[in-house]
Amino acid sequence: MANKKVVLVRLCKTEKGWRRYPAAVGKNGRIKPNFVIVNGQEREFKEGRYQLRTYEGTRMVYKDAGENAAAAQTARTKTEHLLEAKASAKEAGVKIEEMPGRLSLARELNHFIQAAEDRGSNVAAAVYRTAADEFLKTVGKVYADEITSEDVLRYQRALRKRGCSQRTIHNRHASVVAFLRFCKLDVKELAPSRPKFEKTVPEVYSAEELKTFFESIKDDHIYLIFELLLKTGLRDQEAVYLTWNDIDFVSGTLKVRSKPEYKFQIKDKEERDIPIPADLLKRFKEYREQHPNGRLVTGTRTDHPNRKLLRTLKRQVKAAGMNCGQCSGCKEHKECERWFLHKFRATCITKLLRSGMDLRTVMKFSGHSDLDSVMRYLSPAADAAIKAQIETVVWM
């Protein structure tokens, strides 16, 4: 049987000379630039290049993959897909020859992901990569014109067999369809219908959870970041690229704008101005007076976009002893699944609806493109009102 395993290693310059070590992978599934695994521990070696380790028969072969971690990871994925396709073809007695005139799925996936990142949709890019990688490994095809509707159904069956929820299958299917559309394929013919799932009610934080969480934060900047998310309902990426110039201290408003210099584009291209609560505006002013330098509101110490806000949240929750201890995240990684960034946005929108703000005003505040999206948050808002009414009922 052909050896289809592809290992990404880094040829590093160490204190003992040039050595090869496995590339280190972060929790988000991406290669950590310059980091490798040495005796089970992560170490950083800034000088070096990535290589792909494969086999030709029993002979170990190393192929250069460049200095860029993301490009090297893409090269590994492409090589894995090609080897799997060649192995499948060999078993069927067919020989695969790469033809430059046809669309390579692995190459188009790289372009697809890059296009998402160029738009500033880094989270979407990661989601697309996960789904598309799984899809290509499942179907074992090399070229776009080889994809059939049966391949799409086979991928769905594979996800069900793994025990994925219907919502997960629906979301992965949507990502794959977006990729196939990028490849200029007829998605209406290949995927005429999406897998159905029961829509869940948006999750929100309770007042008790928020009180305990914020009381546990000792760092002023971290406190400011999560208060910003809670009281403005910004999307994760909107918060990451928010600059101090976006805050108008005179009018007390916050501008949500695209940031071409960071390749970030706001969702649905809907620019909006958000009124800032007085207490949050006061905290902004105090923090800015103490830290007059820097451009990004939620940026790192070196004033770069902080794309690790979720990790910060998980660590803060764990340190505060607020992990639920029941979810798979707590059991496997000590990181509670019940705490996530978008839940602050959901909590904000729900609280606005509970306060009596009308749907269209909430839609303008949150940046949703339609009322149906906002109406999803009516359920948790109504639940609290219903509970309050029930408590006033005289039963006996």
Side-chain angles (χ1 to χ4, degrees):
M1 180 179 291
N3 191 326
K4 297 175 287 183
K5 187 174 183 180
V6 181
V7 179
L8 183 59
V9 300
R10 183 169 172 79
L11 181 62
C12 314
K13 186 175 183 180
T14 73
E15 59 275 7
K16 297 181 180 180
W18 290 89
R19 298 285 188 275
R20 288 190 179 97
Y21 296 110
V25 181
K27 291 183 179 180
N28 59 1
R30 295 187 178 185
I31 300 299
K32 299 179 69 172
N34 302 333
F35 281 87
V36 296
I37 303 299
V38 182
N39 296 325
Q41 302 294 323
E42 288 188 2
R43 286 197 61 186
E44 182 180 18
F45 295 106
K46 293 186 177 180
E47 188 172 353
R49 296 180 66 83
Y50 290 100
Q51 295 181 329
L52 301 178
R53 188 177 71 201
T54 59
Y55 286 87
E56 292 181 358
T58 58
R59 184 169 67 92
M60 189 181 296
V61 177
Y62 289 93
K63 180 181 178 181
D64 183 71
E67 297 181 1
N68 183 275
Q73 189 170 23
T74 299
R76 180 182 64 178
T77 301
K78 178 180 178 180
T79 303
E80 285 178 342
H81 292 161
L82 183 59
L83 291 178
E84 288 172 359
K86 286 183 176 180
S88 298
K90 186 176 181 180
E91 291 177 5
V94 178
K95 183 179 180 181
I96 289 183
E97 294 182 2
E98 292 194 73
M99 299 175 63
R102 301 171 72 185
L103 281 181
S104 164
L105 288 166
R107 184 168 56 249
E108 289 306 301
L109 175 56
N110 185 28
H111 295 161
F112 178 57
I113 300 301
Q114 187 61 56
E117 292 178 343
D118 288 345
R119 295 194 302 271
S121 304
N122 296 305
V123 174
V127 171
Y128 286 149
R129 180 175 291 284
T130 297
D133 275 346
E134 287 180 335
F135 175 73
L136 295 185
K137 288 180 180 179
T138 300
V139 303
K141 300 293 178 65
V142 177
Y143 297 106
D145 57 21
E146 296 176 319
I147 299 296
T148 66
S149 59
E150 174 57 29
D151 291 324
V152 176
L153 295 174
R154 189 192 315 169
Y155 176 55
Q156 293 177 18
R157 290 195 294 268
L159 292 175
R160 291 191 187 95
K161 189 175 181 180
R162 280 174 40 200
C164 294
S165 68
Q166 282 300 109
R167 184 182 183 90
T168 297
I169 295 172
H170 171 91
N171 292 340
R172 297 284 171 85
H173 172 85
S175 295
V176 168
V177 167
F179 169 54
L180 297 180
R181 185 180 292 111
F182 182 84
C183 294
K184 298 179 176 59
L185 297 177
D186 186 352
V187 294
K188 290 185 178 180
E189 179 180 342
L190 295 176
S193 61
R194 291 185 179 185
K196 296 181 179 180
F197 69 97
E198 293 183 2
K199 292 186 178 181
T200 57
V201 175
E203 294 183 48
V204 299
Y205 294 118
S206 68
E208 293 77 14
E209 286 175 325
L210 291 173
K211 183 175 184 296
T212 304
F213 173 72
F214 280 101
E215 286 179 348
S216 72
I217 302 177
K218 307 304 179 185
D219 185 290
D220 290 342
H221 192 216
I222 293 178
Y223 194 105
L224 182 69
I225 289 172
F226 291 108
E227 188 177 16
L228 166 71
L229 292 173
L230 174 65
K231 296 183 178 180
T232 63
L234 291 181
R235 297 181 177 92
D236 306 353
Q237 294 296 298
E238 291 172 347
V240 167
Y241 297 105
L242 182 70
T243 68
W244 286 104
N245 287 338
D246 293 325
I247 299 174
D248 189 330
F249 289 103
V250 177
S251 65
T253 57
L254 180 156
K255 300 176 182 178
V256 181
R257 302 289 188 269
S258 296
K259 299 292 187 304
E261 63 273 31
Y262 293 115
K263 298 181 180 180
F264 166 68
Q265 185 173 324
I266 57 177
K267 189 174 181 180
D268 300 324
K269 300 181 181 179
E270 289 285 345
E271 295 185 348
R272 65 189 192 278
D273 293 340
I274 299 175
I276 305 173
D279 57 344
L280 177 58
L281 184 62
K282 180 181 178 183
R283 191 180 298 277
F284 275 139
K285 289 180 179 178
E286 292 174 349
Y287 185 85
R288 190 55 172 167
E289 288 173 358
Q290 297 171 10
H291 304 82
N293 299 320
R295 186 184 183 210
L296 294 166
V297 176
T298 66
T300 64
R301 292 180 180 177
T302 54
D303 202 31
H304 287 85
N306 188 348
R307 300 185 180 92
K308 297 181 179 179
L309 296 182
L310 178 59
R311 183 176 299 178
T312 301
L313 172 64
K314 299 287 189 182
R315 288 176 176 173
Q316 187 65 42
V317 169
K318 181 181 177 181
M322 299 184 70
N323 281 1
C324 71
Q326 303 298 318
C327 67
S328 60
C330 284
K331 294 177 180 178
E332 295 175 10
H333 310 294
K334 307 299 181 184
E335 294 186 346
C336 189
E337 293 177 351
R338 298 182 183 178
W339 288 84
F340 49 93
L341 295 176
H342 192 78
K343 199 168 178 177
F344 286 98
R345 175 173 165 81
T347 303
C348 175
I349 296 172
T350 300
K351 285 185 176 293
L352 293 177
L353 292 170
R354 285 178 182 173
S355 72
M357 187 178 289
D358 66 275
L359 284 170
R360 288 199 174 276
T361 302
V362 173
M363 182 178 77
K364 183 178 179 181
F365 184 100
S366 62
H368 282 110
S369 58
D370 58 80
L371 285 175
D372 288 341
S373 298
V374 181
M375 290 178 67
R376 291 182 60 241
Y377 298 90
L378 278 175
S379 183
D383 288 346
I386 292 172
K387 186 177 185 302
Q389 289 179 333
I390 288 177
E391 294 300 329
T392 66
V393 174
V394 178
W395 296 101
M396 297 183 186

